[in-house]
Amino acid sequence: FPITSQVQTAQLTRKHYGITSPISLAQPKEADLVLTQKLIETLRPFGVFEEELELQRRILVLGKLNTLVQVWIREISQAKNIPSSVIDNVCGKIFTFGSYRLGVHTKGADIDALCVAPRHLERSDFFSSFYEKLKEQEEVKDLRVGSFVPVIKLSFDGIEIDILFARLALQTIPENLDLRDDGLLKNLDIRCIRSLNGCRVTDEILHLVPNIENFRLTLRAIKLWAKRHNIYSNILGFLGGVSWAMLVARTCQLYPNAVASTLVHKFFLVFSKWEWPNPVLLKQPEDCNLNLPVWDPRVTPSDRYHLMPIITPAYPQQNSTYNVSTSTRAIMVEEFKRGLAITDEILLNKAEWSKLFEAPNFFQKYKYVLSCISCWTLMVRINHFNKDLFLKTAPTHIHSPFTITILCNQCHQFEIKAEFCIRSVYAYGVQHNVLFQNIFCVQHKKET
């Protein structure tokens, strides 16, 4: 893992990144490079780095998938009586986004992919004929269509892949196509624009950081820290992967010459003192005159109530943290402050990096726990205080998961038995706020 030298970083400051001037252009010192190497060694046991052999396997699988897309597009083109002269040149392409595209995926992580096709292919073709073509492949297992998001999910030679679909208003898809081009969005339906958004945001992030390798190493550290401290979850009101990536990218913009050890410390410094709800922006929002809804509290009243806005850099700009609540923001700010205190000690050689990644003892910290049980079953049996509780649920014709909520003193254990299948169990630590005479869920832990 390369560590950028002073000569290399001096060249990086020629370009201005972000919407403000950098806070510091200081070059890394020898001590910073040593601390960065120590950070790498601390991260290794957590499996955040993938072996080169496994990485090559992923590249091979994506290559096979891309070839499969090319064959499928030609077959569909022939079936739709497209002229032979066009079929000879028609192409599609598989793009990646998310953690794999950012270069921060962990061992065994899935790949988020996007199938981009020319204008004569329909979305229905993707979910019918391409689905059937995938089913014919020996390497493909566990093939299914997503329940809530229009996506094909599969395991290709042991690698989990989620594939979205978008068709562009182009006769063919060039090999060197840059999805950041806003002109590609013209004449597209909203479903294709949404599918393109993941790739466009990921590519913009990589183009808006001064040093990609320093950004990647810092992001690996921050993502691990967030997961260890139970604040990595967009669904539960914390931050998801793209939000953490944008916070790290903003830190890199403010300290363009810093190496990862410094950037991790500056990350906690910046966001422990950030004056929310001032938004985090990687670039000035641009209006492409396509009349798509964008995040703008001056125009959209609901945007004014977002508590921790982190705005995606690609048009149409959106707030990636709309699920954040008052309590979850308070949790994250408190964790930022703790992270700053620990990294202060690390920079002074009073602590090791391992201290930053120590998981807090959730069940010792909170006296009361709010347990939410999400399941598909029709009856759940709960044993609490040696008594059996039976909770009946929705009628049999409802095929959606339901949630049972129990508030209890965490020192009293309870046993859960389901007639069929428990989907997941969430535990929330609860504190009583004397001032507001209210109850806030202030921490969570997901148990599989």
Side-chain angles (χ1 to χ4, degrees):
F1 299 93
I3 301 175
T4 308
S5 68
Q6 294 186 16
V7 176
Q8 290 174 310
T9 52
Q11 299 171 352
L12 299 173
T13 59
R14 296 174 185 174
K15 181 179 178 180
H16 179 67
Y17 292 88
I19 62 172
T20 63
S21 299
I23 293 176
S24 173
L25 295 175
Q27 302 293 332
K29 300 176 182 178
E30 184 62 31
D32 300 326
L33 301 178
V34 171
L35 279 174
T36 298
Q37 191 59 46
K38 289 183 178 180
L39 174 61
I40 293 172
E41 296 306 317
T42 303
L43 292 174
R44 287 187 190 279
F46 291 99
V48 300
F49 300 119
E50 192 172 49
E51 299 296 334
E52 182 63 27
L53 187 61
E54 183 65 21
L55 180 59
Q56 293 302 319
R57 184 161 156 262
R58 287 178 182 268
I59 294 172
L60 181 62
V61 164
L62 286 171
K64 291 180 180 179
L65 189 59
N66 197 63
T67 300
L68 202 63
V69 166
Q70 307 289 3
V71 173
W72 167 67
I73 288 177
R74 285 184 171 84
E75 289 176 353
I76 296 299
S77 300
Q78 290 174 346
K80 295 191 175 188
N81 297 318
I82 301 298
S84 300
S85 58
V86 176
I87 294 177
D88 291 339
N89 298 312
V90 74
C91 288
K93 190 176 179 181
I94 288 289
F95 292 84
T96 59
F97 61 99
S99 61
Y100 178 80
R101 176 70 180 96
L102 288 173
V104 295
H105 60 284
T106 56
K107 291 180 180 178
D110 62 356
I111 297 176
D112 295 312
L114 171 69
C115 175
V116 177
R119 62 193 177 200
H120 60 274
L121 270 80
E122 302 287 344
R123 181 173 291 268
S124 57
D125 295 326
F126 177 74
F127 287 102
S128 57
S129 58
F130 186 63
Y131 181 90
E132 292 301 320
K133 194 163 194 66
L134 287 170
K135 191 184 291 186
E136 297 171 359
Q137 311 306 308
E138 291 184 3
E139 304 99 323
V140 173
K141 308 293 182 184
D142 196 21
L143 182 64
R144 62 212 184 273
V145 176
S147 303
F148 303 105
V149 180
V151 59
I152 290 180
K153 295 174 174 284
L154 68 147
S155 174
F156 199 116
D157 196 20
I159 297 175
E160 296 289 331
I161 306 176
D162 294 348
I163 313 175
L164 298 175
F165 175 81
R167 67 168 183 170
L168 301 182
L170 301 174
Q171 190 174 37
T172 187
I173 306 302
E175 181 63 30
N176 61 347
L177 180 67
D178 186 356
L179 293 180
R180 294 183 302 142
D181 182 3
D182 294 330
L184 295 174
L185 302 181
K186 293 180 181 178
N187 303 317
L188 296 189
D189 64 63
I190 190 63
R191 293 175 300 175
C192 288
I193 291 174
R194 288 171 180 164
S195 295
L196 288 166
N197 191 55
C199 289
R200 286 168 52 79
V201 169
T202 304
D203 288 352
E204 281 285 3
I205 291 173
L206 292 174
H207 279 83
L208 289 169
V209 294
N211 185 293
I212 291 178
E213 291 303 323
N214 288 338
F215 162 75
R216 285 173 171 164
L217 182 54
T218 306
L219 182 55
R220 287 182 189 274
I222 294 301
K223 286 181 68 173
L224 175 62
W225 166 82
K227 290 175 181 178
R228 298 284 289 173
H229 287 258
N230 303 312
I231 56 174
Y232 191 100
S233 175
N234 185 55
I235 295 175
L236 295 176
F238 297 100
L239 304 189
V242 70
S243 299
W244 290 114
M246 287 189 285
L247 292 187
V248 171
R250 185 67 185 123
T251 307
C252 292
Q253 291 178 339
L254 295 173
Y255 300 89
N257 295 330
V259 291
S261 59
T262 304
L263 288 170
V264 170
H265 175 254
K266 297 302 184 185
F267 172 91
F268 293 119
L269 176 63
V270 169
F271 295 109
S272 64
K273 300 180 184 297
W274 194 272
E275 295 181 357
W276 306 105
N278 288 328
V280 175
L281 297 164
L282 297 183
K283 60 183 283 191
Q284 287 293 350
E286 300 171 353
D287 187 2
C288 298
N289 297 317
L290 296 178
N291 295 320
L292 295 173
V294 298
W295 185 86
D296 189 345
R298 299 169 301 176
V299 176
T300 310
S302 60
D303 290 346
R304 300 168 194 167
Y305 298 99
H306 292 173
L307 301 175
M308 200 175 181
I310 302 172
I311 311 306
T312 56
Y315 180 85
Q317 298 84 7
Q318 302 294 324
N319 176 25
S320 66
T321 58
Y322 54 85
N323 279 340
V324 170
S325 65
T326 302
S327 59
T328 55
R329 184 180 70 178
I331 297 166
M332 288 186 280
V333 171
E334 187 61 31
E335 292 293 350
F336 291 153
K337 291 177 180 178
R338 289 197 190 100
L340 177 62
I342 293 173
T343 51
D344 280 339
E345 294 179 4
I346 293 171
L347 295 186
L348 294 173
N349 291 318
K350 294 182 178 179
E352 299 296 328
W353 283 111
S354 56
K355 184 176 181 179
L356 182 65
F357 305 113
E358 289 177 356
N361 195 321
F362 174 77
F363 290 104
Q364 284 187 357
K365 184 177 181 180
Y366 298 101
K367 181 180 179 180
Y368 293 97
V369 173
L370 183 68
S371 295
C372 295
I373 309 160
S374 177
C375 48
W376 298 93
T377 182
L378 300 178
M379 183 176 290
V380 173
R381 179 182 180 182
I382 297 180
N383 185 283
H384 189 222
F385 288 108
N386 295 319
K387 295 181 179 179
D388 286 340
L389 303 176
F390 290 87
L391 298 111
K392 293 186 178 180
T393 68
T396 57
H397 66 273
I398 296 180
H399 300 290
S400 298
F402 65 91
T403 299
I404 301 167
T405 304
I406 307 165
L407 177 63
C408 63
N409 187 318
Q410 65 91 14
C411 66
H412 299 124
Q413 296 183 355
F414 58 87
E415 182 183 9
I416 304 169
K417 293 182 179 179
E419 184 178 322
F420 294 112
C421 175
I422 291 181
R423 191 162 174 256
S424 56
V425 178
Y426 298 86
Y428 295 82
V430 178
Q431 283 184 346
H432 184 63
N433 189 306
V434 178
L435 180 61
F436 296 102
Q437 294 295 302
N438 208 340
I439 296 292
F440 291 94
C441 296
V442 296
Q443 182 67 304
H444 86 278
K445 180 181 179 70
K446 179 177 179 180
E447 295 185 356
T448 56

